[in-house]
Amino acid sequence: MTQILPPPTATETAEYVQDRVDEGYFRVNRAALVDEQVYEAELRSIFDHSWLYVGHESELPKTGDYLSRTVANRPLIFWRATDGTVRVYLNTCRHRGAMLCRVPTGNARGLSCFYHAWTYASTGELTGLPDAGGYGPDFDRSRFSLRSPARVESYRGFVFCCFDGDAPDLATYLGRAADYLDLVADQSPEMEIVTGTHEYAMDANWKLFVENSLDGYHLLPLHRTYFDYLKEAEGSYMDPRQETRAEDLGTGHAVITVEGPWARPVARWRPAMGEENREYIEQQRRALDEKFGAERGRRIAETDRNLLIFPNLIINDIMGVVVRTITPVSAGRTVVSQWTLATKGEPESVRSRRLDSFVTFQGPGGLASPDDNEACESCQLGFAAREEVRWSDISRGIHKERTGEPFVASDEIQQRAFWRQWQRLVAS
Ligand code: FES
Ligand code: FE
């Protein structure tokens, strides 16, 4: 049986992160990546109060479409109701708790619980109550509608929920990160999630994979196979001298920006995209300039970004757009779910190239994701020596916090931004 320990005190937690800009170092106590009581504290202080990604509106194209999702350990139903609105419900029957939706996806005007057949409309009301007379005249069905998380809001099609009714609204929560979501959403008049979910797990703490998803300098050492392939197959290579940027976007959100060597289906043609797609992609590029002006058009099309929406949504907008959630299920186990976001209506040849790039680099069996898994799991194994080697270093580029020099992707301001917000919430 798992023992639930009391949450660490503020003094104990304060020691999980040592943030010493003046002395030139930032480090994290490895216990913060191993201890189950830290995980329990994170659930209460971070996941119960943050806005968390549920899904994208395009995943529910028709009324009645639904998907089951797990967010902050809660089972949810993501459902386009018969009135056309997108709803999020807690996937638990109001009778005795059975999960109402027990399949990953479907379409229905209502769902009936498999246990005693209480039935709910997609708008949440309890519509079917077998042998209703048995409940007597005082039974009020309206008190038994499906429950939703305290807050559900959408930004540019990205639907989030929050279990804290007192949290700020979503746009306020996103703050400066909203601008980067706009750069993704503005890639075409309509964006859609391609049907299908990648789901995989790793024996490592979730924060390691958040760090990894924003890590600007592991690419060449860790993903050498991929870059060798890219050079051979496409003639592209990563130039270490290229200009990059890293930004702390406030309240834990962060981004790194790179101009990578690969083709982008929106809208950076490279020979690897094929001559047959050249005209379409260049036309998309011109359309962006016309709609947003040359500067913003260039920003949308030419720059790649890895964005963290605190605490656990990553958007890797690189050779395709990957939308990824990183969900802890214990201190040492993490589930990753990811989808790809694409231009709606793009030609089949572009779509197929996009999907190919996505799975080649970031698919669970691709040329990069297994490396990242392996690296995170290897760190977790190394933490067994944490009594002797207590701290992980996250200091790269910290001197620039004193001098005001711009940060590049190979600095670690983005990881420090995450950890500083972690520290504020877990220690408060
Ligand atoms: Fe759902 Fe009884 S638990 S009808
Ligand atoms: Fe990687």
Side-chain angles (χ1 to χ4, degrees):
M1 195 175 113
T2 309
Q3 187 190 9
I4 307 294
L5 299 171
T9 64
T11 320
E12 283 165 349
T13 327
E15 280 305 297
Y16 286 133
V17 175
Q18 290 191 337
D19 186 355
R20 307 280 197 272
V21 175
D22 288 342
E23 293 159 66
Y25 70 88
F26 186 105
R27 60 187 191 172
V28 171
N29 189 327
R30 293 175 179 185
L33 297 144
V34 176
D35 290 352
E36 289 298 335
Q37 73 264 34
V38 173
Y39 163 70
E40 296 291 339
E42 287 169 339
L43 292 185
R44 284 189 296 271
S45 57
I46 297 176
F47 286 86
D48 285 356
H49 300 284
S50 299
W51 282 94
L52 303 168
Y53 180 69
V54 177
H56 193 269
E57 289 174 10
S58 65
E59 292 179 89
L60 307 172
K62 301 190 296 297
T63 58
D65 285 349
Y66 63 82
L67 294 159
S68 52
R69 291 275 146 92
T70 302
V71 173
N73 290 336
R74 276 88 155 175
L76 301 180
I77 310 173
F78 184 41
W79 203 350
R80 188 176 292 277
T82 44
D83 64 4
T85 57
V86 168
R87 311 287 184 107
V88 178
Y89 299 115
L90 292 148
N91 185 7
T92 179
C93 181
R94 293 298 308 276
H95 182 217
R96 295 263 257 287
M99 283 173 66
L100 184 63
C101 173
R102 302 196 309 141
V103 293
T105 181
N107 181 286
R109 300 171 61 83
L111 286 172
S112 188
C113 179
F114 83 115
Y115 196 176
H116 312 92
W118 283 29
T119 300
Y120 301 85
S122 61
T123 41
E125 298 86 14
L126 177 63
T127 51
L129 187 65
D131 192 18
Y135 289 90
D138 298 330
F139 187 83
D140 179 2
R141 283 185 196 209
S142 67
R143 290 176 43 239
F144 290 90
S145 296
L146 289 175
R147 296 287 295 270
S148 292
R151 310 282 295 278
V152 177
E153 288 182 32
S154 171
Y155 184 83
R156 306 292 312 266
F158 296 90
V159 179
F160 293 75
C161 72
C162 181
F163 298 100
D164 178 358
D166 296 326
D169 61 68
L170 177 61
T172 304
Y173 180 84
L174 293 172
R176 287 199 291 139
D179 178 41
Y180 287 87
L181 276 180
D182 290 341
L183 292 176
V184 174
D186 285 339
Q187 290 180 1
S188 74
E190 212 174 332
M191 301 290 284
E192 64 178 359
I193 291 283
V194 179
T195 303
T197 304
H198 288 171
E199 196 163 284
Y200 57 98
M202 60 178 78
D203 288 326
N205 186 271
W206 69 282
K207 300 186 288 299
L208 289 173
F209 199 49
V210 172
E211 288 179 359
N212 170 278
S213 297
L214 292 172
D215 184 313
Y217 64 96
H218 74 286
L219 294 175
L220 284 174
L222 187 64
H223 302 312
R224 176 150 299 282
T225 313
Y226 176 71
F227 286 99
D228 285 348
Y229 155 80
L230 206 60
K231 197 169 173 182
E232 193 167 312
E234 303 185 3
S236 329
Y237 64 95
M238 199 81 181
D239 183 350
R241 295 161 305 176
Q242 70 183 154
E243 275 192 32
T244 66
R245 246 189 17 252
E247 288 173 81
D248 172 349
L249 298 173
T251 55
H253 314 312
V255 68
I256 56 174
T257 306
V258 175
E259 287 187 25
W262 36 70
R264 281 166 61 82
V266 178
R268 186 168 76 200
W269 186 86
R270 293 286 183 275
M273 291 295 289
E275 275 304 321
E276 72 278 16
N277 294 321
R278 185 169 192 158
E279 194 183 323
Y280 169 79
I281 289 174
E282 291 182 348
Q283 189 269 325
Q284 296 291 301
R285 180 75 180 79
R286 284 193 297 277
L288 288 175
D289 281 0
E290 278 159 27
K291 187 166 180 186
F292 297 105
E295 191 189 333
R296 188 167 175 82
R298 184 179 186 289
R299 208 171 153 217
I300 293 170
E302 302 291 340
T303 57
D304 307 32
R305 59 207 118 252
N306 288 21
L307 172 67
L308 163 67
I309 307 287
F310 187 91
N312 73 330
L313 172 64
I314 298 285
I315 298 186
N316 289 336
D317 179 11
I318 40 182
M319 69 286 287
V321 185
V322 180
V323 178
R324 168 190 287 168
T325 57
I326 300 171
T327 304
V329 293
S330 71
R333 181 87 175 158
T334 297
V335 171
V336 181
S337 303
Q338 66 181 26
W339 304 268
T340 192
L341 188 70
T343 302
K344 191 162 183 180
E346 66 191 357
E348 199 47 50
S349 55
V350 173
R351 177 64 60 92
S352 106
R353 169 70 203 190
R354 176 194 289 280
L355 295 180
D356 201 43
S357 296
F358 169 47
V359 296
T360 301
F361 188 56
Q362 285 174 309
L367 292 175
S369 288
D371 302 336
D372 292 317
N373 269 28
E374 174 75 9
C376 292
E377 291 188 342
S378 183
C379 293
Q380 199 76 24
L381 290 172
F383 296 159
R386 67 189 176 282
E387 285 302 318
E388 292 74 27
V389 184
R390 190 171 297 268
W391 299 96
S392 285
D393 179 79
I394 310 186
S395 302
R396 194 155 158 152
I398 202 168
H399 59 285
K400 298 178 182 174
E401 295 190 42
R402 298 194 302 272
T403 62
E405 289 169 74
F407 295 102
V408 294
S410 58
D411 289 325
E412 290 173 328
I413 185 66
Q414 61 278 26
Q415 285 100 340
R416 291 195 290 278
F418 167 80
W419 274 107
R420 283 174 177 146
Q421 182 68 1
W422 182 93
Q423 169 77 348
R424 276 191 284 274
L425 296 180
V426 175
S428 62

